[in-house]
Amino acid sequence: MNCPGPTRSIHQYRLGSVSGDHFRLTQRTRGHSPAKVIVDLQAYLRGAINYFVIGIPFGEIRELDQWLRRRMRLYYWKQWGRPRTRRRNLLKLGVGRDEVHKAS
C-alpha cells in the first residue's frame, strides 16, 4: 500500500503577509542603498524560511526568488534614474552596447 502521509502547508493568509513584508522591504522609494536593502532582505528571509521550512513547497521558494530578483532589478533601475546613468552602469556591468541601447 502506498499511502501518502499528511502534508503540511502554509495558510494562504500567512503567506500573503510574508509577501507583503517582502514588498515593504523592496519598495523603490524607501530611500536606502541597494546594499542595505539586500542586508535587510537576507535577515528577514533567513528568519521567514527557517520558520516556515516544513510547509513551503520548493516551487513557491523558486517563485519568491524570481520575484525578489525582479524587485531588486527595479530597485537599481529606479536608483539609476537618468538614461545616461543607466547606460553607463549597464556598460560597467558588461552588457553589450546593442542591449544597452535597447534597455535605456
Side-chain angles (χ1 to χ4, degrees):
M1 257 189 185
N2 225 356
C3 188
T7 60
R8 296 180 181 170
S9 63
I10 302 171
H11 193 273
Q12 289 300 318
Y13 170 76
R14 185 65 191 133
L15 194 58
S17 69
V18 170
S19 297
D21 291 339
H22 296 149
F23 184 79
R24 181 183 51 80
L25 287 172
T26 58
Q27 283 181 333
R28 295 185 305 261
T29 57
R30 196 168 158 225
H32 295 289
S33 70
K36 169 84 169 111
V37 173
I38 289 172
V39 168
D40 291 346
L41 271 173
Q42 285 175 340
Y44 178 78
L45 288 174
R46 191 175 299 118
I49 296 294
N50 286 332
Y51 182 77
F52 293 117
V53 72
I54 294 174
I56 299 179
F58 183 71
E60 288 184 19
I61 292 177
R62 189 177 317 155
E63 288 175 15
L64 176 64
D65 179 56
Q66 291 171 351
W67 185 83
L68 285 171
R69 288 174 188 267
R70 183 172 55 247
R71 291 291 294 185
M72 287 309 299
R73 278 194 304 271
L74 292 172
Y75 201 90
Y76 276 107
W77 201 248
K78 176 80 172 183
Q79 186 187 34
W80 290 345
R82 299 170 60 184
R84 179 174 47 190
T85 307
R86 290 176 179 172
R87 279 192 295 271
R88 193 178 311 136
N89 286 327
L90 287 172
L91 288 170
K92 281 183 195 175
L93 291 173
V95 179
R97 286 194 176 276
D98 294 336
E99 294 296 319
V100 168
H101 182 68
K102 288 179 195 175
S104 60

